[in-house]
Amino acid sequence: MLPDMRKAAGSTVKIFICAIALLFSTLTYAQPTSSSPDPKAGAEMTGTIKEYTAGTSLVLETLAPSEPVQFRLSKTVTYADADGKTIEAAGLTTNQKVRVHYTKVGGDNVADKVTLIGN
């Protein structure tokens, strides 16, 4: 009976480790993806546009349990399609998947580039 208990305990530990790994991978998806860990130097975040006000702001929905992230658009913000070609901001709509390059200015996330990465 002892070998059966060891087998069951081993399976439980493996499931627990897999669950923890999945949790951490989900949490890191919404984190900055830039090689620079400091958003003041510039970072990127990927998500779906929840709200968009042309020339002013963008709210990005990331994977749960994260709260939506608000970005103020810089005066020189650029927009690009999935191929990197410049597009007009008017092409942005809610529910589009994008990557936002931003810097931290004071308490604000200031976006300077928004790239479409899918629908």
Side-chain angles (χ1 to χ4, degrees), residues 17-58:
I17 290 171
C18 288
I20 295 297
L22 179 63
L23 174 67
F24 281 116
S25 67
T26 302
L27 290 175
T28 57
Y29 178 77
Q31 301 304 312
T33 57
S34 173
S35 60
S36 170
D38 181 9
K40 291 178 184 173
E44 292 182 337
M45 187 175 292
T46 301
T48 304
I49 297 173
K50 182 177 180 181
E51 296 175 28
Y52 172 66
T53 304
T56 305
S57 66
L58 174 76

Side-chain angles (χ1 to χ4, degrees), residues 34-85:
S34 173
S35 60
S36 170
D38 181 9
K40 291 178 184 173
E44 292 182 337
M45 187 175 292
T46 301
T48 304
I49 297 173
K50 182 177 180 181
E51 296 175 28
Y52 172 66
T53 304
T56 305
S57 66
L58 174 76
V59 177
L60 200 62
E61 179 114 353
T62 60
L63 287 179
S66 297
E67 293 291 319
V69 179
Q70 180 154 359
F71 296 91
R72 191 169 46 105
L73 300 177
S74 78
K75 292 180 181 180
T76 59
V77 65
T78 59
Y79 303 90
D81 63 13
D83 296 326
K85 295 178 185 170

